[in-house]
Amino acid sequence: MGFTDLLSDTGLTMLNSWLTTRSYITGYGPSQADVASFKGLKEAPSAAKFPHAYRWYKHVSSYQSEFPSLPGDPSKAYTTYGPEATSVTMNPKDAPKEAEEEEEDEDLFGSDDEEEDPEAVKQREANLAAYKLKKAGKAKPAAKSIVMLDVKPWDDETDMKELEANMRKIQMDGLTWGTSKLVPVGFGIKKLQVNIVVEDEKVSVDELQGKIEEDEDHVQSTDVAAMQKL
């Protein structure tokens, strides 16, 4: 279905939800999908109500001079991007009756109104307890990802040592800072490229980028250069 509109609170809520775990509308870099969505907004989203959409809007705005050269199809509207299906709240009286019938049909453990065989109940509870015990004994290792971040300064006069020192002060449960290096980008400007390891369930890369970008005296923007599951 894609984004329905980017002007109402409903549309902005959908955009904010979509960007909760994403730096861009699609992929790992700015594209025409971001350009179309950016132009679909009449102004920056509220930072208080839509923090993820606001962070994305602020970041994408730094690419405005590069909009024509970004990859993708510029003829596509923003409505072609976003979630494939949208859950819309409706009046209960308008809800399809089939949904209620399906819920009734999917009562796998029987209805409370029906009298159950005590032995069957006892056996079911025993099986459920055995399953929970077996599941508890199989603790899975935490899923982790290695991420390469590009941290861009404002200009060639930015103190990159201070930038990196401020960045590494950020501590999050499940975050491990790795090696870093300065990479020339042109006109004497160098970006900081840093590797990190994150526990997927504990650390939001978008949230980390937001924390890094709070150092507005040094940091212009951040990008995910690469990401790989460990």
Side-chain angles (χ1 to χ4, degrees), residues 54-68:
Y54 173 79
R55 168 191 51 73
W56 165 83
Y57 184 93
K58 179 182 175 184
H59 177 54
V60 172
S61 67
S62 66
Y63 288 96
Q64 289 190 68
S65 62
E66 304 173 42
F67 277 3

Side-chain angles (χ1 to χ4, degrees), residues 137-152:
K138 292 184 177 180
K140 295 182 180 180
K144 295 182 179 181
S145 299
I146 182 169
V147 182
M148 180 186 293
L149 291 177
D150 283 346
V151 184
K152 299 177 182 178

Side-chain angles (χ1 to χ4, degrees), residues 150-161 163 181-193 218-221:
D150 283 346
V151 184
K152 299 177 182 178
W154 287 106
D155 51 40
D156 59 341
E157 296 182 359
T158 301
D159 190 326
M160 298 303 289
K161 290 184 178 180
L163 183 153
K181 64 179 180 180
L182 294 176
V183 179
V185 295
F187 304 103
I189 301 174
K190 295 181 179 180
K191 66 181 178 181
L192 179 67
Q193 199 167 75
H218 298 87
V219 179
Q220 180 196 90
S221 63

